[in-house]
Amino acid sequence: AIPAIASQLDEPSMDVSHYELKGRQLLAFVDSVSRSSCITHLSMCNARLEGSDLDTLCKALAKNSSVISLDLSENQIGAKGAEAVTGLIASTDTLRQISLMGTGLTDAMAKHMLLEGFEQNSSIDQWDLSYNLMTDSVLFYLEPLLLDRPAFQRLDLSWNLLSPAGVYSLTMTNTDRAKPKPRKKTGVFAKPLVKVNLIATKQTQRQILANWMNSNGEKRIPTAAPYELTSSDFISIDVALRVRSLTGSQRCLLIRMF
């Protein structure tokens, strides 16, 4: 594994996803990354990173001035790991994109990142928080971010635990962000809309699955009230996964849906 990783140190993109770096290997890796001026995109998806590992990694990245994109998706970071990421967010002025997809983020973790991390950060403009455990309560801290940061471009909250009311509230906040507002010296100013991904209800998930099945000649799933699943859904999913024309990414998404 080490030679394969070392060969990427002089490349702009480094992908160490699915490697399990621990102990001395991790220390050697983060030391190299902290001193690199070449790496701009670092992907550590599903790298078995835990709290102490992330603490080591984030302290090293805080010293790096070239990495603008960081993918930590599918690592179960826990409270200690979330604290480490918060520290990185607060200290960096170069990082622009961060993915925490499927990392087990709760409302408490996200709240801490927003209050203690993003309050001190002005560089990050794209944030992937999909496939986590956040509910409507985090919107109280997230919505001001959309209103106050004109440079913010993209936010992915899909497949969290947001209610339809929460989705509506965030959508209205995003719309309000783009309304023209008068400025004393520079005239009218409007922040651009943030690209927000908000697939949030079981009803929407069922409809996506139904459309895929219908387009492949399968029987459409009947509509149902939001958040209601029946045993027939799981039978339908099994049928859908056997449709040969589905792509690999579609199959993975179907598995993740439920």
Side-chain angles (χ1 to χ4, degrees), residues 10-49:
D10 294 327
E11 301 294 330
S13 294
M14 171 171 275
D15 189 349
V16 291
S17 300
H18 310 294
Y19 287 104
E20 187 174 353
L21 298 177
K22 299 288 183 181
R24 287 181 295 178
Q25 289 185 340
L26 179 63
L27 291 173
F29 168 73
V30 299
D31 180 61
S32 298
V33 170
S34 68
R35 292 184 285 106
S36 173
S37 59
C38 299
I39 302 170
T40 58
H41 295 75
L42 177 59
S43 178
M44 300 192 73
C45 171
N46 193 18
R48 311 295 194 275
L49 296 174

Side-chain angles (χ1 to χ4, degrees), residues 19-20 22 46 78 88 103 189 191-192 219 246:
Y19 287 104
E20 187 174 353
K22 299 288 183 181
N46 193 18
L88 173 62
T103 54
F189 172 77
K191 302 182 182 74
K219 184 178 179 181
L246 288 179

Side-chain angles (χ1 to χ4, degrees), residues 2-3 41 43 53 85 94 105 156 158 171 175 185 201 235 242:
I2 294 300
H41 295 75
S43 178
D53 305 324
V85 174
T94 56
L105 278 183
D156 194 339
S158 57
T171 302
T175 303
K185 294 182 178 180
T201 66
I235 295 172
R242 296 178 187 177

Side-chain angles (χ1 to χ4, degrees), residues 20-218:
E20 187 174 353
L21 298 177
K22 299 288 183 181
R24 287 181 295 178
Q25 289 185 340
L26 179 63
L27 291 173
F29 168 73
V30 299
D31 180 61
S32 298
V33 170
S34 68
R35 292 184 285 106
S36 173
S37 59
C38 299
I39 302 170
T40 58
H41 295 75
L42 177 59
S43 178
M44 300 192 73
C45 171
N46 193 18
R48 311 295 194 275
L49 296 174
E50 299 173 345
S52 58
D53 305 324
L54 281 162
D55 186 55
T56 302
L57 173 66
C58 290
K59 286 179 179 177
L61 287 175
K63 303 175 184 178
N64 179 282
S65 59
S66 64
V67 175
I68 62 173
S69 175
L70 176 63
D71 184 356
L72 295 175
S73 58
E74 298 182 28
N75 293 287
Q76 295 304 303
I77 64 177
K80 186 175 181 180
E83 179 71 32
V85 174
T86 300
L88 173 62
I89 292 172
S91 62
T92 182
D93 57 3
T94 56
L95 195 62
R96 293 190 56 195
Q97 305 173 24
I98 185 166
S99 174
L100 296 171
M101 180 192 79
T103 54
L105 278 183
T106 63
D107 287 343
M109 295 178 192
K111 173 187 173 183
H112 184 64
M113 284 186 186
L114 289 165
L115 294 180
E116 303 299 329
F118 275 93
E119 283 292 326
Q120 286 76 42
N121 179 280
S122 60
S123 64
I124 295 177
D125 57 20
Q126 299 185 45
W127 201 12
D128 186 349
L129 297 174
S130 58
Y131 292 97
N132 280 300
L133 304 172
M134 292 178 293
T135 67
D136 292 357
S137 64
V138 80
L139 299 182
F140 179 80
Y141 307 96
L142 187 56
E143 289 178 338
L145 174 68
L146 297 184
L147 292 173
D148 296 340
R149 303 291 178 90
F152 206 81
Q153 297 180 18
R154 183 177 179 274
L155 173 66
D156 194 339
L157 287 172
S158 57
W159 314 107
N160 273 275
L161 304 176
L162 301 181
S163 70
V167 172
Y168 178 79
S169 175
L170 192 56
T171 302
M172 290 300 100
T173 298
N174 198 17
T175 303
D176 184 60
R177 166 191 169 95
K179 290 179 180 178
K181 298 175 179 64
R183 281 188 166 185
K184 291 182 179 179
K185 294 182 178 180
T186 58
V188 175
F189 172 77
K191 302 182 182 74
L193 285 170
V194 177
K195 295 178 181 177
V196 181
N197 190 354
L198 286 170
I199 298 175
T201 66
K202 293 296 182 184
Q203 186 178 39
T204 306
Q205 296 173 24
R206 287 163 60 89
Q207 193 61 44
I208 293 173
L209 176 59
N211 289 338
W212 277 344
M213 294 178 67
N214 188 56
S215 64
N216 286 282
E218 303 291 341

